[in-house]
Amino acid sequence: MSAASPSYPSRHLGLQGASNFRDLGGYPSRDGRHVRWRHLFRSNHLGRLTEADAAVVRTLGIRTAFDFRGKEERIAGLCAIAEIAVHTLPIEPSVVPVLRDRWSAGRLTVEDALELMRESYRNYIRRHTPRFRALFDHLLGDHAPLVIHCTAGKDRTGVACALVLSALDVPDEIILDDYLLTNQHFRRDTAAHPELPQDVLEAIGTVQASFLAAALDAVRESYGDIDSYLREGLGLDGPTRTALQQRYLTS
């Protein structure tokens, strides 16, 4: 259900100022229900929306944004729609500063960049689980339609949305497919980080299955499996997870 059909809304909204804005609706859960369309969205940041984009977002009825960007990132691109309530759940970016240091020292390769990306994903779980737990606390409230985003909408947002879909009991292969859709839709800012080599920028400007796998490795390392992480790390016991599914799944 990645593409539009006569029976389903469009998953990718095609906004001019937010290339990675898309709907998590329609994905099947293991019990035969589906994620509700037009309730949960994911995106890159909302600071460059055009007037036409803002009109589309208003039509969707989005009331709330959950923003994983760090402090300086948020200042550089404030949400362009004043009536959206923004909840900040900051996870400061960590990869680019290390890449700069290694490039200055003359010891930066593409594989270095890819491993730094994988390590940053591990650290989302090791260091930033409280941010994801706060997201779920909000999701259990009446905030939909809502959008989850960071700067590119691919890494911090990618892990957050993978966790949301996991909590909704969407199969792993579908979660991975949704994660990888970023590679079809995200338009990288080619003017960003001109001090870094192009092959490195291209590598970190994508998502790869190994990145998400690294986060899941950290889940298993600390919690045993994803269900234990949802329960112990994110506070989703049986009744709470059932309540989340009742809110965001439909038959």
Side-chain angles (χ1 to χ4, degrees):
M1 291 189 183
S2 297
S5 76
S7 302
Y8 299 103
S10 174
R11 181 172 306 288
H12 180 243
L13 275 296
L15 302 182
Q16 184 64 34
S19 61
N20 205 16
F21 194 109
R22 58 188 203 259
D23 195 331
L24 291 175
Y27 291 130
S29 67
R30 290 185 176 89
D31 68 2
R33 291 180 289 174
H34 292 79
V35 180
R36 293 181 187 275
W37 286 102
R38 298 308 193 239
H39 277 59
L40 300 169
F41 297 88
R42 55 175 295 174
S43 183
N44 49 321
H45 77 86
L46 307 179
R48 295 179 180 170
L49 298 180
T50 66
E51 289 186 9
D53 294 338
V56 171
V57 173
R58 289 188 176 99
T59 299
L60 296 171
I62 292 175
R63 299 185 293 161
T64 315
F66 298 98
D67 184 353
F68 284 100
R69 293 178 298 169
K71 182 178 180 180
E72 291 186 5
E73 295 173 283
R74 292 197 307 276
I75 293 171
L78 296 176
C79 180
I81 302 178
E83 57 266 40
I84 291 180
V86 179
H87 296 269
T88 59
L89 304 170
I91 298 175
E92 294 290 344
S94 60
V95 172
V96 170
V98 179
L99 291 175
R100 288 191 185 115
D101 290 344
R102 293 193 180 185
W103 179 242
S104 296
R107 50 185 182 85
L108 177 62
T109 67
V110 169
E111 185 49 45
D112 290 334
L114 295 175
E115 180 51 32
L116 283 169
M117 291 296 294
R118 288 188 282 267
E119 184 65 8
S120 73
Y121 274 64
R122 297 182 191 107
N123 287 334
Y124 294 153
I125 303 301
R126 294 169 180 160
R127 300 178 184 175
H128 300 295
T129 285
R131 302 302 191 203
F132 298 127
R133 183 165 187 156
L135 172 66
F136 277 94
D137 288 343
H138 285 296
L139 292 179
L140 286 160
D142 185 17
H143 294 289
L146 59 89
V147 59
I148 300 165
H149 76 89
C150 51
T151 291
K154 69 184 191 70
D155 301 313
R156 292 161 288 188
T157 296
V159 171
C161 291
L163 293 174
V164 170
L165 293 176
S166 290
L168 297 177
D169 211 24
V170 172
D172 295 346
E173 63 272 18
I174 295 175
I175 294 172
L176 179 60
D177 286 346
D178 177 77
Y179 170 77
L180 293 174
L181 277 179
T182 283
N183 289 335
Q184 294 184 31
H185 299 302
F186 176 59
R187 296 190 300 267
R188 181 172 62 86
D189 181 357
T190 56
H193 314 303
E195 72 280 11
L196 294 175
Q198 189 62 30
D199 57 351
V200 166
L201 291 174
E202 290 175 358
I204 67 171
T206 65
V207 292
Q208 300 192 14
S210 69
F211 298 170
L212 190 58
L216 296 176
D217 285 345
V219 164
R220 287 188 285 269
E221 173 188 285
S222 298
Y223 295 89
D225 58 33
I226 188 67
D227 287 331
S228 297
Y229 178 67
L230 292 170
R231 184 176 60 253
E232 299 167 18
L234 302 182
L236 296 177
D237 59 15
T240 305
R241 191 168 174 185
T242 295
L244 187 80
Q245 292 175 357
Q246 288 175 340
R247 183 173 292 279
Y248 295 109
L249 295 176
T250 182
S251 56

